Amino acid sequence: MSSSLKVIGVVLAAGRSTRMGRTKQLLAYRGRPLLQHVLDSAAQAVQLDRLLLLLGHRASEIRESLELRGADVVFVPDFRQGQSASMRGGVEEAQRLGANAVLFLLGDQPLVSAEVMDRVAAAYREHGNQVVLPVCEGKRGNPVLMDRGLFPQLLEISGDVGGRAILSRYEGAIREVEVSCPGIHADVDQWDDYERLP
């Protein structure tokens, strides 16, 4: 495969945090908004050609609280439809920018390192699988990279579901990358998750 393949990071952060009951993108963690940690790690990832930040719920307030670190903000007008709306918005913009693949980063996973992002993207550039994802201690996690061949299907997903809705169809095309980062499993969905952050 070619090192010239264009990988764009897409940070999914447009949701309403309904399970949390408050805007989790703005929750303080180690002195910064939770979402800022995701942007900071992505900014350090040398394998990402570009970074898109998908915002919807309270977008202006969240945007003003962040240092974008080179990320381009994409507003998701239909964010109330759930995670699929964010994914569609990210895929549409990445497609417009000529992406060969998208690395989906979750805005509520502050512990995913730049090294994980780089290893997943590098594995895609080397092997060209349609799906590449990290594995830690035998368990799959995020971020998940998807090749542009899957973009049409991603654009058809609806409701509050993510790209995992189509992963089962491509089990044979998935490349797993071993990492030593338990943070790939740590989503801050509920208050208990937030309190468990180290």
Side-chain angles (χ1 to χ4, degrees):
M1 294 304 292
S2 170
S3 60
S4 64
L5 293 173
K6 189 173 188 177
V7 178
I8 292 181
V10 172
V11 181
L12 303 175
R16 293 181 292 166
S17 313
T18 47
R19 281 176 286 183
M20 176 67 76
R22 62 191 81 188
T23 306
K24 62 186 173 185
Q25 297 94 323
L26 295 172
L27 288 174
Y29 176 56
R30 297 182 183 173
R32 289 174 290 159
L34 194 74
L35 180 54
Q36 186 67 55
H37 293 268
V38 181
L39 294 177
D40 290 348
S41 291
Q44 296 169 30
V46 297
Q47 291 279 343
L48 296 182
D49 295 294
R50 198 152 178 175
L51 187 63
L52 305 177
L53 172 61
L54 281 287
L55 295 179
H57 178 65
R58 297 176 70 178
S60 296
E61 184 180 353
I62 293 169
R63 161 68 189 87
E64 288 169 10
S65 75
L66 299 171
E67 295 174 35
L68 291 179
R69 305 293 301 272
D72 295 310
V73 174
V74 178
F75 180 68
V76 181
D78 51 351
F79 64 86
R80 289 178 182 81
Q81 294 180 14
Q83 193 179 77
S84 64
S86 289
M87 292 191 67
R88 288 195 306 272
V91 168
E92 285 169 358
E93 184 63 14
Q95 214 168 21
R96 191 184 70 77
L97 294 169
N100 294 96
V102 163
L103 182 67
F104 290 108
L105 306 166
L106 303 187
D108 62 0
Q109 284 197 319
L111 304 179
V112 175
S113 67
E115 181 188 3
V116 168
M117 301 174 197
D118 279 338
R119 291 193 62 191
V120 170
Y124 168 73
R125 286 196 165 98
E126 183 177 351
H127 302 285
N129 296 72
Q130 287 189 294
V131 180
V132 186
L133 47 75
V135 175
C136 180
E137 297 171 357
K139 184 182 172 189
R140 290 175 174 178
N142 289 293
V144 175
L145 179 145
M146 294 193 175
D147 178 80
R148 66 181 173 192
L150 302 182
F151 287 0
Q153 292 178 62
L154 289 169
L155 292 171
E156 290 174 5
I157 293 175
S158 60
D160 195 20
V161 294
R164 293 196 184 279
I166 65 171
L167 285 188
S168 58
R169 300 178 213 165
Y170 290 92
E171 192 59 42
I174 295 174
R175 175 166 292 275
E176 297 182 345
V177 178
E178 285 285 341
V179 299
S180 55
C181 176
I184 68 170
H185 305 137
D187 297 50
V188 180
D189 285 327
Q190 303 183 49
W191 193 252
D192 288 353
D193 302 325
Y194 176 57
E195 291 185 323
R196 277 197 295 268
L197 287 175

